[in-house]
Amino acid sequence: MANSVYQVNKGINRSIEFKGLKAQYIWYLGGGVVGLLIVFAIMYIIGLPTLVCIGIILGSGTLLVMKIYRMSHQYGEHGLMKTLARKQVPKAIRSRSRRAFLKR
């Protein structure tokens, strides 16, 4: 039998990382770029000068990239979802009757 060479994938349970962006932030950046492309097309069709369109999109794109990278480094892979979920938890639960605590 001939010897076969197999490569071992050492990153099986690790999240995707691309140039410092982790997990879902790659998708957020991609969606933002597509959104900026659509905004550029709309501004160009409306009739704004091309240099104005490019300036607005470059400025917005720079802010988008900076914000996404900041969120990626601040929250990490799952931290943003945990933070958003924590905001959904009520601070107090009010009950106006004892019926929920009585056995039936």
Side-chain angles (χ1 to χ4, degrees), residues 8 17-18 43-44 51 54 57 65 74 82 91 104:
V8 178
E17 185 172 345
F18 178 72
M43 289 191 305
Y44 186 76
L51 291 177
I54 291 174
I57 295 301
V65 169
Q74 180 178 358
K82 289 180 181 180
K91 299 205 184 311
R104 290 184 185 211

Side-chain angles (χ1 to χ4, degrees), residues 2-61:
N3 289 338
S4 297
V5 177
Y6 296 101
Q7 293 181 355
V8 178
N9 184 2
K10 295 185 179 184
I12 289 175
N13 287 329
R14 295 172 67 195
S15 64
I16 299 171
E17 185 172 345
F18 178 72
K19 296 196 184 245
L21 288 179
K22 297 175 185 154
Q24 75 270 19
Y25 301 106
I26 297 170
W27 295 107
Y28 295 160
L29 186 61
V33 169
V34 170
L36 287 174
L37 181 65
I38 292 170
V39 169
F40 177 80
I42 291 170
M43 289 191 305
Y44 186 76
I45 290 171
I46 287 174
L48 284 161
T50 307
L51 291 177
V52 173
C53 295
I54 291 174
I56 291 172
I57 295 301
L58 282 178
S60 301

Side-chain angles (χ1 to χ4, degrees), residues 28 71 75 78-89:
Y28 295 160
M71 286 173 31
Y75 295 114
H78 300 293
L80 181 62
M81 289 183 283
K82 289 180 181 180
T83 302
L84 294 175
R86 193 173 295 125
K87 289 181 181 180
Q88 296 294 322
V89 175

